[in-house]
Amino acid sequence: MVVRTKGARCRNRAIFIRKFPKQKGNMAAASNPTSQGGAARTSSQPNLDAITDDDFEYVDEDFGSSYSPDQVQPQPEPMIPDLFKQPPLVKDDLITDTSRLQDQTVDHCLPFLAGEDGPLELNDYGLPRLNREKHVKFLKQSLGPLPGRFVAMDASRPWFLYWCLSGLTMMGENVSSYRESVIATARTMQNESGGFGGGHGQLSHLATTYSVILAIALVGGEDAYDVIDRKGMWKWLCTLKQPDGGFQVCMGGEEDIRGAYIAAVIITLLDLPLDLTPESPAYDGGRSNLLTGIAEYVRSCQTFEGGISSQPNNEAHGAYAFCALACLALLDNPRRVIPSYLDVPRLVSWLSYRQYAPEGGFSGRTNKLVDGCYSHWVGGCFPLLEACLGSSGSGSKEKNRTATGLAAAPETLYSREGLIRYILTCCQDQTKRGGLRDKPYKMSDAYHTNYVLSGLSSAQHQWDLDSDPLPLSEGETTPTMAALGADSIWNVFPYIDDNDQIYEDSDRVRPIHPAYAIPQKNVAGIKAYFQGRSGFA
């Protein structure tokens, strides 16, 4: 990983120069109302005609003042733009249950956004700090024994591993101490037929397999990597592959965009063979492989609104938009593959409409409320799109165009300030419980803590692609997928806009890979281990 920082800008303060009269004899004479040779003056002010520049001394107001320690200085109001502390100026006249809920949500959020909720210490921009200590404690407790009511979450145990380890990692914690526990837990969840279930004896599912593999990547180490039965995983994925290019999420289960994304993650992280077994529903005598048709399946899920649905002809949803973009980004260079299979302008428009004011956060669907988890599911789409729409070429005519001819994007496609304000003011549970949440009147949980932090990481960092796509072979219209986007070189640096950032540097969290949603270091570690092994040895 190449980590860069933009050049630090000088934060110069304006120095105002003010003149003060010197206490000299000629000054006293000039101001004397009964000076020699003249009539008495009725004014107590000095004779300005008798004063020159030499009679003044200059004071740098940045350091000099007439301040007395006994004086109580008024505290400046936090610099909160009106956009984030008042109801929307334009409202629909049609009153519905949906609009009432939206108004109630705004009413709940405004006191937090305006810095009026509780005795919290705010910075100059009206934001509380990221309460790392409380959130770390909350995640560590969530990795331990849970109350009896959590029995309903038994099949989600792999998710708790990922959510908590990922959140801790983003906040700078070393999670390698959990390696042995993750190994022991993962072994009980792996099935002989391949893949991981939610617990011992439970059916293997792509969602739980995804979370176990990411948890293993986060703790790292050869012992953890060796838990994964790659051969069984490959055979199992082959049974889930469908003739239309997509994947079922489990044997006999639904086929949707989650399956396509998770399959791409597993195949690329574990360096699995692409050949299909004869038992695969998609087997056609060797002409197709695990990645054949997957990009076309993603394209079929784009809706008339421009968003992405779980399956063709369903409603667009923010999480499915992330799955679609991340899936394509793993198959080939995003600058080529994303515009080749998706209507990017319509998708950008749909995603932009998910960010609300005054809240600043994202909703997941049209006419739905903001939710902290979409800080990742929707906010995480923008790094991929900004990379896709990065300018191409060195010639002056190409600087404002992408590799596929689309207009190059500005530096950012959404209000990072708005999202950061929503996260730090509305999503933090400031009670002794800690953790992060959906919105102010909700309880914190591990799911929201992880994905709110993921969204914060996305807003605080900028991801760039160093290179344009490699040329296709003669006669090729789509990549062979043999390289699996190996020519995509991602660089990350802290995002700093033209104005001062609205949070302290101590509130910045670690960057995570825009497609894998774990740090790039962990991605590189697990990839290097499996790429260095031949076959299934």
Side-chain angles (χ1 to χ4, degrees):
M1 174 177 65
V2 180
V3 179
R4 304 183 307 194
T5 58
K6 285 187 176 179
R9 300 185 308 282
C10 295
R11 292 177 169 84
N12 295 328
R13 291 174 292 181
I15 306 300
F16 297 95
I17 307 300
R18 183 174 294 175
K19 297 178 180 180
F20 290 92
K22 295 180 181 178
Q23 301 301 317
K24 300 197 307 185
N26 62 339
M27 283 287 291
S31 60
N32 189 345
T34 58
S35 58
Q36 294 180 1
R41 297 182 182 272
T42 58
S43 172
S44 62
Q45 296 300 318
N47 180 0
L48 298 181
D49 293 334
I51 300 175
T52 68
D53 283 346
D54 293 336
D55 297 316
F56 289 92
E57 59 182 346
Y58 290 83
V59 176
D60 181 348
E61 284 196 325
D62 196 43
F63 300 99
S65 70
S66 59
Y67 169 73
S68 168
D70 297 330
Q71 290 179 295
V72 177
Q73 297 297 307
Q75 296 297 318
E77 290 293 323
M79 298 168 58
I80 306 174
D82 289 341
L83 177 65
F84 303 114
K85 58 180 183 180
Q86 64 185 18
L89 298 178
V90 179
K91 293 185 65 175
D92 196 325
D93 290 336
L94 179 63
I95 305 300
T96 66
D97 289 343
T98 299
S99 67
R100 292 190 187 96
L101 281 174
Q102 173 60 28
D103 291 343
Q104 291 172 12
T105 300
V106 170
D107 290 341
H108 280 294
C109 292
L110 278 176
F112 293 86
L113 293 164
E116 300 169 355
D117 183 77
L120 296 177
E121 183 180 349
L122 306 179
N123 65 17
D124 290 342
Y125 298 92
L127 296 177
R129 67 182 180 87
L130 180 66
N131 202 323
R132 290 175 181 269
E133 183 178 351
K134 284 185 179 179
H135 304 331
V136 166
K137 180 180 178 182
F138 173 79
L139 288 172
K140 287 183 176 180
Q141 288 178 336
S142 298
L143 281 170
L146 298 173
R149 65 179 181 275
F150 278 84
V151 68
M153 301 292 292
D154 180 62
S156 297
R157 288 173 60 211
W159 281 112
F160 274 84
L161 291 177
Y162 166 62
W163 295 333
C164 296
L165 294 172
S166 175
L168 290 169
T169 300
M170 281 185 280
M171 286 190 287
E173 295 290 308
N174 183 352
V175 298
S176 61
S177 60
Y178 292 96
R179 183 179 297 131
E180 293 304 319
S181 297
V182 169
I183 290 173
T185 303
R187 280 178 174 155
T188 67
M189 297 174 173
Q190 188 165 216
N191 291 307
E192 291 184 5
S193 58
F196 293 87
H200 177 67
Q202 296 184 22
L203 184 69
S204 293
H205 194 287
L206 278 177
T208 49
T209 300
Y210 168 86
S211 52
V212 170
I213 290 176
L214 292 189
I216 287 173
L218 286 167
V219 297
E222 294 186 2
D223 290 345
Y225 301 150
D226 282 339
V227 170
I228 302 170
D229 178 2
R230 289 174 67 242
K231 186 173 184 179
M233 186 75 67
W234 169 66
K235 290 183 176 180
W236 178 62
L237 283 178
C238 288
T239 65
L240 302 179
K241 177 69 174 179
Q242 299 301 301
D244 63 357
F247 285 81
Q248 290 180 330
V249 294
C250 63
M251 289 293 294
E254 65 270 33
E255 176 189 4
D256 60 34
I257 198 78
R258 296 174 302 161
Y261 164 61
I262 293 172
V265 168
I266 294 172
I267 292 166
T268 54
L269 284 182
L270 305 186
D271 194 29
L272 295 179
L274 298 182
D275 298 331
L276 290 171
T277 63
E279 294 78 21
S280 172
Y283 184 74
D284 58 2
R287 295 186 299 276
S288 299
N289 63 38
L290 276 172
L291 297 179
T292 299
I294 194 169
E296 287 78 7
Y297 180 81
V298 169
R299 176 166 55 192
S300 71
C301 293
Q302 187 163 25
T303 74
F304 71 95
E305 290 182 285
I308 309 295
S309 61
S310 61
Q311 301 167 323
N313 304 315
N314 279 357
E315 183 184 11
H317 191 285
Y320 301 138
F322 174 82
C323 289
L325 288 166
C327 175
L328 293 177
L330 296 177
L331 302 181
D332 187 30
N333 189 299
R335 288 182 182 163
R336 173 170 55 205
V337 70
I338 292 177
S340 297
Y341 289 94
L342 295 176
D343 186 332
V344 173
R346 287 173 57 217
L347 178 56
V348 170
S349 175
W350 186 86
L351 289 169
S352 298
Y353 274 103
R354 304 282 66 75
Q355 189 168 27
Y356 292 173
E359 303 98 300
F362 291 102
S363 69
R365 290 180 286 164
T366 302
N367 288 330
K368 293 295 184 179
L369 305 175
V370 293
D371 185 329
C373 71
Y374 295 114
S375 303
H376 166 71
W377 293 120
V378 176
C381 291
F382 288 104
L384 296 164
L385 285 168
E386 288 166 4
C388 154
L389 295 174
S391 59
S392 170
S394 57
S396 60
K397 292 183 179 179
E398 297 178 342
K399 287 184 179 179
N400 295 321
R401 311 300 297 180
T402 69
T404 53
L406 290 173
E411 192 168 346
T412 187
L413 291 171
Y414 69 109
S415 173
R416 293 172 186 252
E417 176 183 352
L419 181 58
I420 292 171
R421 283 187 178 278
Y422 181 70
I423 289 173
L424 294 181
T425 60
C426 295
C427 293
Q428 294 195 88
D429 187 334
Q430 298 288 2
T431 69
K432 64 180 182 180
R433 174 183 173 88
L436 294 110
R437 58 195 179 190
D438 167 352
K439 52 179 71 70
Y441 51 87
K442 300 284 189 176
M443 287 187 66
S444 58
D445 56 62
Y447 167 85
H448 283 91
T449 299
N450 174 61
Y451 288 122
V452 170
L453 289 172
S454 297
L456 181 61
S457 173
S458 176
Q460 291 177 334
H461 297 91
Q462 182 83 26
W463 287 88
D464 280 348
L465 285 170
D466 255 3
S467 59
D468 285 335
L470 296 176
L472 296 174
S473 303
E474 185 177 354
E476 217 177 2
T477 58
T478 58
T480 60
M481 308 300 184
L484 299 170
D487 61 320
S488 301
I489 302 173
W490 293 92
N491 294 322
V492 61
F493 54 88
Y495 180 84
I496 303 175
D497 62 13
D498 293 335
N499 301 312
D500 289 340
Q501 64 190 42
I502 60 172
Y503 55 92
E504 303 295 332
D505 284 333
S506 59
D507 293 331
R508 192 184 297 276
V509 298
R510 290 182 63 186
I512 57 173
H513 191 285
Y516 291 107
I518 57 175
Q520 199 166 11
K521 173 184 176 182
N522 299 86
V523 173
I526 191 170
K527 276 189 172 184
Y529 180 75
F530 288 117
Q531 287 172 355
R533 306 183 69 182
S534 59
F536 292 115

